[in-house]
Amino acid sequence: MIKVLFLSIALFYTISLAANESSALEVNKSAWRPPIQLATELKGSIEIADYLVSEKLDGIRGYWTGVDFYTRTGKRISVPAWFSEDFPSYPLDGELWLGRGNFHKMLSVIKQSQADPQLWQSVRFMVFDLPTFKAPFEERYARMLSSLTARSPYLKVIPQFSVDSQAQLNTLLDEVLAKGGEGLMLHHKEALYKVGRSSQIVKLKPLYTGSAKVVGYQAGKGRFKGMMGALVLQLPTGQEFKLGTGFNDAQRMHPPKIGSQVSYEYRGLTHKGIPRFASFIQEGTGKIHDKE
């Protein structure tokens, strides 16, 4: 049975939290981007017992500086004062979330220049890391539980699970997908918070395959000028979308013909039923070969 890892909240740290909870970060609002950590795709095998596992939430990445919220690209997010009034004065990394399947609703909430109090009532900031706490992730998780639990009704710590085998990981993934979740995040227990892309945080999401009819082309730009930039595909539902990744130069010079079928891989659907993160595999709908 998969059990939530409850580490003792009574752990005493020799590292003073105050040193890591320095006053709000001074930021250059015109050019600053939050110093966040980014995950990589899970490839190959790993020692699963070395990782803590959590659900990958389909929210908006948020960085709390201790005073303000920012997106991963550095855009300040307007929130009602009451939403964050009980938040700590040190940085938090997490997801602004409205529940599974509500990514686009959450996106519309944060796009507003003036926060709508009624809409923010249902938002939760789901914390998954303490960027300035200099300790392994397992200890950072313990600190999150001890310092953030019940601090604010709008602040939640994402549960981390201890998984001992590939079979248990598969079961957990199936459970999350059955509930409408996106996938899983695996975070190495001994990893320090590292700004930029980290191989010690990996995401596990299901990969699907599909096929659609070519109905048009989009011209390439930059390095692809003079070539095909993207195919315009039509799904069996009649909906159209652009497929612009997964091609080599030869395929861009001689793209599949109008009316032909192509196969692609994707990671779930948008709320409108369009494939997300679609990538070209091959022309035709026969046996799909593994990509190198």
Side-chain angles (χ1 to χ4, degrees), residues 68-165:
D68 292 314
F69 268 112
Y70 288 84
T71 66
R72 60 181 290 180
T73 58
K75 178 183 177 182
R76 184 178 177 277
I77 302 172
S78 178
V79 305
W82 48 260
F83 181 83
S84 58
E85 64 181 354
D86 294 322
F87 284 24
S89 60
Y90 51 91
L92 304 174
D93 195 357
E95 295 269 329
L96 289 163
W97 197 53
L98 274 170
R100 299 183 184 97
N102 286 312
F103 169 79
H104 285 84
K105 185 176 180 180
M106 186 69 247
L107 184 61
S108 66
V109 171
I110 70 161
K111 281 185 174 180
Q112 298 179 0
S113 57
Q114 295 294 325
D116 185 328
Q118 186 173 356
L119 294 176
W120 278 92
Q121 286 284 351
S122 300
V123 177
R124 298 294 180 268
F125 186 47
M126 308 296 290
V127 181
F128 51 67
D129 220 327
L130 300 176
T132 58
F133 188 54
K134 307 301 182 184
F137 181 68
E138 192 170 38
E139 293 183 29
R140 299 202 301 277
Y141 179 53
R143 174 61 66 176
M144 285 183 272
L145 291 177
S146 64
S147 62
L148 301 178
T149 300
R151 180 164 187 152
S152 166
Y154 306 105
L155 187 63
K156 305 293 181 184
V157 177
I158 297 179
Q160 301 287 337
F161 299 84
S162 182
V163 178
D164 298 322
S165 67

Side-chain angles (χ1 to χ4, degrees), residues 74-267:
K75 178 183 177 182
R76 184 178 177 277
I77 302 172
S78 178
V79 305
W82 48 260
F83 181 83
S84 58
E85 64 181 354
D86 294 322
F87 284 24
S89 60
Y90 51 91
L92 304 174
D93 195 357
E95 295 269 329
L96 289 163
W97 197 53
L98 274 170
R100 299 183 184 97
N102 286 312
F103 169 79
H104 285 84
K105 185 176 180 180
M106 186 69 247
L107 184 61
S108 66
V109 171
I110 70 161
K111 281 185 174 180
Q112 298 179 0
S113 57
Q114 295 294 325
D116 185 328
Q118 186 173 356
L119 294 176
W120 278 92
Q121 286 284 351
S122 300
V123 177
R124 298 294 180 268
F125 186 47
M126 308 296 290
V127 181
F128 51 67
D129 220 327
L130 300 176
T132 58
F133 188 54
K134 307 301 182 184
F137 181 68
E138 192 170 38
E139 293 183 29
R140 299 202 301 277
Y141 179 53
R143 174 61 66 176
M144 285 183 272
L145 291 177
S146 64
S147 62
L148 301 178
T149 300
R151 180 164 187 152
S152 166
Y154 306 105
L155 187 63
K156 305 293 181 184
V157 177
I158 297 179
Q160 301 287 337
F161 299 84
S162 182
V163 178
D164 298 322
S165 67
Q166 184 66 50
Q168 287 186 336
L169 185 67
N170 293 341
T171 297
L172 181 57
L173 178 61
D174 290 342
E175 291 175 353
V176 166
L177 296 177
K179 295 175 182 178
E182 276 200 338
L184 300 175
M185 299 296 296
L186 288 77
H187 201 141
H188 199 285
K189 296 176 182 179
E190 298 301 316
L192 298 177
Y193 193 94
K194 175 186 175 184
V195 176
R197 194 71 61 181
S198 173
S199 61
Q200 293 187 303
I201 310 175
V202 293
K203 48 190 174 183
L204 177 60
K205 298 194 293 183
L207 190 63
Y208 306 99
T209 58
S211 62
K213 183 170 70 173
V214 179
V215 295
Y217 307 111
Q218 182 180 60
K221 298 178 180 179
R223 190 175 78 81
F224 301 132
K225 186 175 181 180
M227 303 186 227
M228 179 270 295
L231 297 178
V232 180
L233 301 183
Q234 185 180 69
L235 296 167
T237 60
Q239 295 171 289
E240 295 183 0
F241 73 100
K242 295 174 183 177
L243 180 67
T245 61
F247 303 97
N248 58 37
D249 287 354
Q251 291 165 333
R252 291 185 184 278
M253 289 295 294
H254 305 284
K257 296 179 180 179
I258 300 292
S260 65
Q261 292 281 326
V262 298
S263 300
Y264 57 88
E265 59 186 18
Y266 64 102
R267 296 186 182 278

Side-chain angles (χ1 to χ4, degrees), residues 23-39:
S23 58
L25 300 178
E26 294 183 4
V27 297
N28 181 339
K29 292 181 172 58
S30 64
W32 182 80
R33 288 193 176 196
I36 61 174
Q37 184 170 239
L38 300 172

